[in-house]
Amino acid sequence: MSRAPRSAAARRSWGEDDTGCTILHVDMDAFFVSVEILDRPELRGLPVIVGGEHRGVVAAASYEARAFGVHSAMPASRAKVLCPQAVVLPGRHARYAEVSREVMSVLADVTPVMEQVSIDEAFLDVSGAVRRMGSPVEIARWIRAEVRRRSGVPASVGVASSKHVAKLASTHAKPDGLLLVPADATVPFLHSLPVGALWGVGEKTQQVLERHGIDTVAELAATPLTVLHRTLGVAAGQRLHELAWGVDARRVEPTRVEKSVGTETTFAEDIADRAQLERVLLRQSHECAARLRADGMVAWTVAIKVRHADFTTLTRSRTLAVPTDLAHDVHSAARDLLAGVEIPQAGIRLLGVRAERLTAAATTGVQSALDDDPQQARAERAMDGVRARFGSQILRPASLLGNNRHSAFKSGSGDLS
């Protein structure tokens, strides 16, 4: 079962002195579900699952669904067994990206020292905003209220003296809360947690630690470094020991470079028809290209991902002669890559497109591939303007109109990695 939401009193239980706590972690609560409820208020209070409506995985679950044990990355079949009454919705990444931009614009109004780490979370260093906006906690309160006002979705905020503790604090503040961990309460806060809460402790590492009798952060902190080095390796053991004692010197990095942007589709039924698969690639290419343009990036490489019915997965990639942010170029490369892949008679269950080796469009110093065809570039950028004004679903290529037979959850479309 998932952790029960903490009360507002519990969220404030670590103290009120925010001196030196200038790192904020802003995390949207069940973001995809929150956006769906924003657009469909009648879903509020119901168990809601985004993604996995066919054979994929759960992308997000409401707290009502989590109470039944449903969580993200869970196979759809398992989620339906645990919570058969859940409302299951397909993912709408374009809509989530719209709301994400609204949220990030709020954070950018606070400070330029912002590190967006995913579509629904970011770190801020507010040390330069204190004189203008008040204490870190006051800034956190303003952020939560302003995000709600501008975007309509809730945000939880953790305030601490380091990135690691700020992220943990925002997790404990959920849903829709704020938690400050004062600098002098950092170690007691950490030592109250299970070892799996530490950044970098995944399922396998947690199992290794538990086999050595280490179940809590406090127990890990008390373990001699020589034992941790022998158990986890020198680098991992050293890093986790430091985190257990609140040592985290990482700064908020506002110039994080995105390496790729992509989307993938798990089909309701396996598809063997190449024409249908090419239409899927076209839709995915438009999504990728629109996100590239929104982020001011161009891509040097296009890759595809193909998963067979037996879960055998392969990838193919091609480096372009010049970078692009146009769907025409992305789709052309992706279609050529797919042409070199043998499609089994039984069909494939997943297909994805990814634009890689991203570079800021303003600094490439080269023309995009279709600058010699300005009509194509103008058409795609005009589509961006129409969608921004009237919604992401208002406009699409003619070849995709009415082609919803194989609509499916885009399981990887939320990542900018």
Side-chain angles (χ1 to χ4, degrees):
M1 299 289 285
S2 60
R3 175 182 57 81
R6 294 163 60 92
S7 68
R11 294 172 198 161
R12 295 192 297 266
S13 64
W14 287 100
E16 298 180 357
D17 182 6
D18 60 2
T19 304
C21 294
T22 59
I23 307 299
L24 274 58
H25 182 253
V26 181
D27 198 354
M28 311 309 295
D29 298 333
F31 181 55
F32 294 175
V33 170
S34 295
V35 175
E36 296 297 340
I37 292 174
L38 177 67
D39 293 346
R40 297 176 57 183
E42 69 273 14
L43 298 177
R44 190 175 307 279
L46 299 178
V48 178
I49 295 172
V50 172
E53 69 275 19
H54 298 297
R55 298 180 304 169
V57 296
V58 173
S62 68
Y63 286 93
E64 291 80 6
R66 294 182 195 186
F68 290 88
V70 178
H71 57 77
S72 61
M74 171 180 285
S77 56
R78 177 62 177 161
K80 291 176 181 177
V81 170
L82 293 173
C83 190
Q85 70 272 40
V87 178
V88 182
L89 303 173
R92 298 185 297 154
H93 182 77
R95 174 60 174 146
Y96 308 147
E98 290 174 5
V99 179
S100 174
R101 286 191 289 272
E102 293 171 353
V103 172
M104 297 304 159
S105 71
V106 173
L107 307 187
D109 286 347
V110 175
T111 176
V113 190
M114 178 184 77
E115 179 181 350
Q116 183 177 352
V117 294
S118 71
I119 193 172
D120 60 352
E121 63 174 314
F123 288 101
L124 289 79
D125 184 338
V126 299
S127 54
V130 169
R131 178 173 296 183
R132 175 171 57 92
M133 298 187 67
S135 72
V137 167
E138 290 173 329
I139 294 173
R141 288 173 179 151
W142 181 88
I143 287 172
R144 294 185 64 243
E146 193 68 5
V147 166
R148 175 80 74 168
R149 186 184 73 81
R150 291 195 205 176
S151 70
V153 296
S156 293
V157 183
V159 184
S161 57
S162 71
K163 291 172 73 173
H164 178 229
V165 178
K167 182 174 176 64
L168 290 172
S170 68
T171 298
H172 281 252
K174 289 185 176 185
D176 195 14
L178 186 160
L179 177 63
L180 162 69
V181 179
D184 60 4
T186 294
V187 171
F189 169 72
L190 288 170
H191 289 190
S192 72
L193 302 175
V195 72
L198 285 182
W199 209 338
V201 177
E203 184 177 353
K204 291 183 178 179
T205 300
Q206 184 172 348
Q207 290 173 355
V208 170
L209 291 170
E210 289 176 349
R211 283 200 298 269
H212 287 78
I214 302 173
D215 298 309
T216 67
V217 176
E219 290 170 343
L220 187 146
T223 302
L225 265 174
T226 53
V227 175
L228 293 177
H229 290 172
R230 191 165 59 248
T231 303
L232 302 172
V234 174
Q238 185 73 36
R239 183 181 71 253
L240 291 181
H241 188 266
E242 290 175 352
L243 291 178
W245 285 103
V247 178
D248 180 17
R250 292 170 304 162
R251 297 182 177 181
V252 176
E253 300 289 348
T255 56
R256 177 176 178 264
V257 178
E258 307 297 355
K259 298 178 182 179
S260 67
V261 56
T263 181
E264 57 190 44
T265 302
T266 300
F267 303 120
E269 302 172 2
D270 294 338
I271 300 178
D273 181 69
R274 283 190 179 271
Q276 281 188 300
L277 293 172
E278 289 181 1
R279 285 195 292 271
V280 173
L281 287 178
L282 178 60
R283 172 177 56 76
Q284 293 174 334
S285 297
H286 273 278
E287 290 182 12
C288 286
R291 291 165 64 189
L292 287 172
R293 292 190 294 271
D295 293 333
M297 308 295 283
V298 290
W300 283 94
T301 300
V302 174
I304 65 169
K305 176 180 178 181
V306 178
R307 179 169 295 157
H308 294 173
D310 63 359
F311 285 87
T312 299
T313 303
L314 58 87
T315 59
R316 297 287 185 270
S317 65
R318 170 179 294 181
T319 297
L320 306 175
V322 290
T324 188
D325 60 2
L326 299 179
H328 179 282
D329 303 334
V330 176
H331 181 244
S332 178
R335 184 182 55 205
D336 289 348
L337 290 169
L338 184 65
V341 175
E342 182 178 353
I343 305 300
Q345 187 174 359
I348 63 175
R349 64 177 286 123
L350 177 147
L351 182 63
V353 173
R354 186 163 289 273
E356 301 176 339
R357 291 181 58 208
L358 306 190
T359 306
T363 62
T364 57
V366 292
Q367 302 266 319
S368 64
L370 280 177
D371 276 354
D372 58 344
D373 183 3
Q375 184 175 357
Q376 177 70 42
R378 284 198 300 268
E380 291 198 30
R381 289 176 172 83
M383 290 170 67
D384 293 341
V386 173
R387 291 182 184 122
R389 183 174 181 183
F390 298 106
S392 60
Q393 302 301 313
I394 195 68
L395 191 64
R396 68 187 69 183
S399 60
L400 297 181
L401 293 176
N403 185 44
N404 295 320
R405 178 184 171 194
H406 289 283
S407 62
F409 163 54
K410 297 174 279 296
S411 60
S413 63
D415 294 329
L416 278 169
S417 58

